[in-house]
Amino acid sequence: MRRNIFLIAIILCEAINVCTAENKFDDVIAHYSRNANDSMKLKAAKFIIKNIHGHFSPGGDGMEEFINRIYATDSPQSQKALATAWNKARGNEKTILVADSSFMDSQWLIEEIDQAFVSWKTAPWADEITFDNFCRNILPYRVKDERICKGWRQKLRKAYGPAVTNTESMTEAFEAITDTIRKTILQSTPYCPYSLDALTTNYVKKADCDQRCILHVAILRALGIPAAIDAVPMWANYSQNGHSWVAMVKSDGATYTIFDDEKGAKQFNKIDASRFSARYKITREDSCPYDVLYEKKAAKIYRLGFEHTNTTTQSTPSILNDRFISDVSAQYGLGGTLTVECNDTIPVYLCVFRSGKNWTPIAQAQPSNGLVTFKNIGCNTVYLPMCIKGKKWTALSEPILVKANGTSHTYTPATDTTESITINRKYPLCSYMTDLWGYMKGGVFEGANKADFSDADTIGAITRMPHGETTIPISKEKKYRYLRYKTSPRSRMPLAELHFYTKDENGKDIELNGTPIWHDVDSTGIKHLTDWKPETVTSAKTTNYWIGTDLGAKGKKPISKIVFMPSSDTNNVEAGDLYELYYFDRQWHLLGRRMANSGILTFDNVPKNAILLLKDKTKGKEERIFEYKNGTQIWH
């Protein structure tokens, strides 16, 4: 959620803006007070003016130069060209955050209000939209934290109106616009740290998740469809990031969304981007040693709006320190409840573990009668209630798992009942990795003595899903000059390592070194094939690629074994890395340090029923909490 970039500016500028906005827009109030028929527009104007404080737009010469560079060239532009344009613009001039109330004038605001009413009243479903819903989800002149511009409603209405011409309901129109956005606005990585206005994003036809949502909502509002951005501030069991998406909001509060690539809008829908693909089904024969993650969990869902709906102070933690968010978790079916004892009167924060960081607040509640209750939270998620005493975060209990059946489990470490544990990862394995590994099945290793492999023998095969470093013993005595790995028809999975061995006179395996050979592989990565660094890979250009080695005319050898490693997330335990294991008992306690000698680690004297955390002190920041049960790491 890029919106937090504005929080410091909001605090610094608020005192000035609060005192000036009402006076500055007196002309707007006067304009709509002259005619009794404008009574609703007068109320709308008061709504905007009341809530304009705290809204900022990226501006200044740097931003304007960037916008000019975009429009000076043909659209669509490449990702590289956009990034280059931004780097040149920001290098020449500074981009600043400008309070909306300081540069918007009365005429601008009047035009915005008038055009918002045109969008509302000309929509075929206008009668379904209450004034309150209109004010919150059609009227605002901005969607989120984007640069604002004039005339966006008229232009977007003209550009996208034809897409809803034949629709018969607001829901069908929402579905049609969503489908159009998917087809016309390409998903991209960010090329500017600020959000552009909707018209510029529409011109570029490229946007990251945030900017695509801003454009999407702007189009819907221009067409009289009440819409907003809803967001998970951060996933409760994955990554450090969250996700945002677009929702259509009906006047009774019912929220409709379209999940991923589905066509139909639904209420209480699955949370967008919360499911990993699972194209490959892991079999028992694969002997996968990991607990695989298929779904991202949401602890809370917030709506980003224009109205001041959230009471905050300067001491409120950053994720919650946004006055324009409102809790819509119930609209997505989040029905968990957690009540804990608290004999204090200060705010209590419900925290989840943020990957690679620590416990991070996602909700706030006030204690009453010795208890504090959090409602509409995600289930099957581990929470930690905390408060701030002085400047120190203090846990009110041990971590608590809130279950879907309405019960909970508290992870109170049994320090007098310990066990030895054997673990192999510091972060859950996600199914997008097993999808790639699974389709390596059917790949073969061949030996040949002709360069075109017309006399190739299959000396090894991938018969089950590989997961990490894999060894295939070879029993053939025939000598080969050319050796290669050839993919299955469905796989273009990059290899991190590929090593061929033969036996010396003492029967010891020794690695063979030759000249790399390949087909449909990015040649710049060939050097990584034998560097024993799992984080470096050789990338394929297509499926059906192959890669191997030429041992030379005098280097023919029989093969004793093949060692290979597919590309991975590098969160397995790796030999040579230093690890630390912690358990939580009102705070983190170090259990021990180990230098890994293989792909597994063993720790003794680990308290049972504890939340654990494994850190790689050598490299890598992806790490998550887990419990150890029945010999398995269970991730939370």
Side-chain angles (χ1 to χ4, degrees), residues 585-614:
D585 188 1
R586 298 290 175 120
Q587 60 182 340
W588 291 109
H589 299 271
L590 178 64
L591 269 167
R593 293 185 178 90
R594 296 284 187 278
M595 185 72 74
N597 296 317
S598 65
I600 59 172
L601 287 167
T602 299
F603 288 89
D604 301 320
N605 302 315
V606 178
K608 290 187 176 182
N609 193 44
I611 286 294
L612 305 171
L613 179 67
L614 182 67

Side-chain angles (χ1 to χ4, degrees), residues 27 384 429:
D27 290 346
L384 182 68
L429 176 66

Side-chain angles (χ1 to χ4, degrees), residues 467-478:
H467 37 76
E469 183 178 319
T470 303
T471 299
I472 299 177
I474 308 298
S475 58
K476 292 181 178 291
E477 295 296 327
K478 185 176 179 180

